[in-house]
Amino acid sequence: MRTDRLVAVLLLLQRRGQVTAAEVARELEISERTARRDLDALAMAGVPVYSTQGRGGGWRLVGGARTDLSGLTASEARALFLVAGPASAATPTVKAALRKLVHALPEPFRVQAEAAAASVVMDPRRWGSSRAEHRPPRFLDELQDAVIHGVQVRLGYVDSKGAETERTVHPLGIVAKGPTWYLVTDTDAGRRTFRIDRVSSVEPTDDPVHRPEDFDLAESWREIADEVDRKRTPLEIRAVCVPHGIGLLRIAFGGRLEVGGPTPDGRVEVAIRGQDEHMIAGELAGLVEWIEVTGPPEVRDHLASIGNALVERYG
């Protein structure tokens, strides 16, 4: 049996107290026959489950046996195993806590859980990149405490130009974007985001955070990230691409690429965002075999200039 499915059955038993094979089948999208086999397998593996027959019957855990993982689904449990292992970017303290939760699983599943935790290694560095390790910023713990306890802080901050200011902010959440940590806040000037490695001082106050009722950190960060992307790549070029070149464009431009509909000649309309005409022309120059830029004219002029320079040097 798949261990993750058996864990799911166990967690379902803990959450509901009693289940039938039909309920397990619906929850896990399997057949009732497979659900019965899974329930029998739990008992054979030493998990204290028993069945009762007749009206109102089903499967129960002896004595309501539970673990600290009772609220997790199979996918969440599997993710937990991975976060506890070397593939995770979590801090050693987080990993240690998660390993304790993994150890709370019944004995029959513990070996597979630990194997899952050791099954993946993730190296975030690109080939040829620096081996420098990114440590958490100095005031990360203090700011996390402020978010958790819902108190305003007086924040010392050094901007990208080196100017230092102090302001009182309402901490709403913390986001890690790659190796960089950000504090999302409300201020008198509206929603603001601060790089935590530029924070020079943190002084909690006794004043409570005014948190908008509809605030959602994940949604707020998506809006912030989209706005940053738009500011970093304000120029949009229009082009047409041969169908078999779309995959190459996705690799080259990622989220800066927007794929449109087909053209009468069988090619595909695309839009690509870039920082300025000169830089995006340099990115596109090596893709002439697959893509034809239709606008703006300034980018076409830069591409023509690059082409002439290449012919002059290598022709």
Side-chain angles (χ1 to χ4, degrees), residues 167-170 172 184-194 212:
R167 68 198 82 190
T168 298
V169 301
H170 298 250
L172 300 177
V184 180
T185 74
D186 255 353
T187 71
D188 291 339
R191 189 72 47 83
R192 292 292 184 271
T193 304
F194 300 93

Side-chain angles (χ1 to χ4, degrees), residues 8-9 11 22 25 56 59 96-97 103 134 153 158 172 238 271 276 297 305 308:
V9 176
L11 299 176
W59 291 77
H103 292 162
H134 299 280
V153 297
V158 181
L172 300 177
R238 301 175 300 281
D276 57 46
S305 178
N308 291 333

